[in-house]
Amino acid sequence: MNKFHGTGVAIITPFQTNGQVDYDALQKLIDYLIDGSLEYLVSLGTTGESATLSHEERKQVWEFTAKAVNGRVHLVAGIGGNNTLEVVEQIKQFDTTGYDAILSASPHYNKPTQEGIYQHYKAIAEAAPLPVILYNVPSRTGSNIAADTVVRLAHDFKNIIAIKEASGVFDQFNQIMRDKPEEFMLISGDDPVTLPMIALGAVGVISVIGNALPRQTADMVRSCLAGDFKSAQKANAQLVDFTRLMFVEGSPAGVKTALKHIGICEDTLRLPLVQVSHAIADKIIKETDKITQ
């Protein structure tokens, strides 16, 4: 499973100004990211605004993305939700052509117990035709996948191969690294803490900022994985202000502003998400220019 070592990017979904999916821009983005020397892409994770796409739109985006990637990098599909039966059915119907794994976020809103989370992922693991990557993002879901639950799932289901961790709780990361099966992977799900997570043993990141700065993000991660933390610290320091700006008024609004500035796509989002304010957009543009020029 070392195909998921390194830098993955949770790609945004470009929209035209009328709100429709912009497939020309999606092709342009995919080519830009692959040229940036990433290891893999994630289609329709949270950053892809999957919650605002219809079932048919998601199907079309997955199919288009697989064809556009054309085997040039590894590819992951984001399939999750808070109705376990519905998620399982989506996974059963999913066309796996071109895909290497499924990323599934812990159920949002319901606030299940740890046993409920375990049973949710048990059902997914038993139905999934591809390896499964857990996704813990309490700031969005309202509940945390405890380290004990992660380790239990990792030991009980060999096709649960990794967790994208975005809790920011280092005590939790420590416990996962200590107790997990050797082959199970810890992946950073939060750009600001990627460097220290790799120092703990994480194998890379599924990044948001990498949409706009793929090469810079990948170079920093490769330095970390090579044990060259002096170079990694220097590269990471250059990304600190940019990374903060990406999230100050919500994601993926920030990174779409940067992508518009570099000519990849419009900064259109679907409600309830909106574009960043003019003041933040100006700061993002200046920081983007500082890094890329």
Side-chain angles (χ1 to χ4, degrees):
M1 288 296 108
N2 60 6
K3 65 180 66 174
F4 301 116
H5 287 213
T7 303
V9 165
I11 56 179
I12 60 105
T13 301
F15 297 117
Q16 300 173 24
T17 54
N18 64 5
Q20 298 302 304
V21 176
D22 187 341
Y23 288 101
D24 290 339
L26 182 55
Q27 177 74 61
K28 190 174 184 179
L29 174 63
I30 289 167
D31 291 339
Y32 172 71
L33 295 176
I34 293 173
D35 288 345
S37 299
L38 303 171
E39 279 69 43
Y40 62 103
L41 301 176
V42 178
S43 176
L44 294 185
T46 305
T47 306
E49 298 178 70
S50 54
T52 64
L53 270 66
S54 69
H55 174 74
E56 187 59 32
E57 285 176 322
R58 289 194 295 270
K59 182 179 176 182
Q60 290 171 358
V61 169
W62 280 323
E63 181 180 350
F64 181 91
T65 300
K67 289 180 179 178
V69 169
N70 194 29
R72 290 179 290 168
V73 295
H74 300 298
L75 190 55
V76 178
I79 307 177
N82 63 347
N83 179 339
T84 305
L85 293 178
E86 183 179 344
V87 175
V88 166
E89 191 58 33
Q90 286 184 62
I91 288 172
K92 287 180 177 178
Q93 294 178 6
F94 177 66
D95 181 357
T96 62
T97 304
Y99 285 85
D100 299 281
I102 290 168
L103 174 71
S104 194
S106 181
H108 60 275
Y109 187 77
N110 305 49
K111 286 194 171 183
T113 63
Q114 292 303 305
E115 184 60 29
I117 291 172
Y118 176 88
Q119 293 296 333
H120 174 81
Y121 280 118
K122 177 177 184 289
I124 288 174
E126 290 174 344
L130 294 172
V132 175
I133 300 172
L134 312 176
Y135 182 15
N136 187 34
V137 56
S139 63
R140 288 186 179 273
T141 64
S143 66
N144 178 56
I145 311 176
D148 287 342
T149 303
V150 174
V151 171
R152 183 184 173 197
L153 286 163
H155 279 288
D156 288 355
F157 302 97
K158 295 303 181 185
N159 63 333
I160 295 180
I161 61 167
I163 182 167
K164 177 186 177 185
E165 247 292 354
S167 68
V169 181
F170 276 79
D171 183 58
Q172 187 156 298
F173 306 158
N174 285 330
Q175 186 179 341
I176 291 170
M177 287 303 303
R178 184 191 67 189
D179 298 338
K180 71 179 184 65
E182 182 178 355
E183 65 278 6
F184 184 83
M185 296 173 288
L186 176 66
I187 300 170
S188 171
D190 194 11
D191 283 298
V193 297
T194 296
L195 189 155
M197 282 188 68
I198 294 176
L200 284 174
V203 300
V205 62
I206 296 176
S207 173
V208 173
I209 70 167
N211 277 281
L213 302 176
R215 192 171 299 278
Q216 293 88 342
T217 305
D219 285 349
M220 188 274 289
V221 170
R222 287 196 189 96
S223 293
C224 287
L225 292 174
D228 183 3
F229 284 99
K230 185 174 182 179
S231 295
Q233 287 165 358
K234 183 178 179 180
N236 188 63
Q238 294 176 331
L239 299 173
V240 168
D241 290 339
F242 181 86
T243 301
R244 185 184 301 116
L245 287 166
M246 291 303 95
F247 302 101
V248 70
E249 289 187 354
S251 178
V255 79
K256 280 193 169 183
T257 301
L259 285 168
K260 180 178 181 179
H261 180 60
I262 61 179
I264 300 294
C265 64
E266 293 294 329
D267 60 350
T268 308
L269 297 101
R270 282 188 176 174
L271 289 170
L273 299 183
V274 295
Q275 296 160 326
V276 300
S277 64
H278 292 303
I280 294 299
D282 288 343
K283 291 180 180 179
I284 289 172
I285 289 168
K286 289 177 183 177
E287 196 62 31
T288 302
D289 286 342
K290 186 166 78 173
I291 295 172
T292 59
Q293 295 182 358

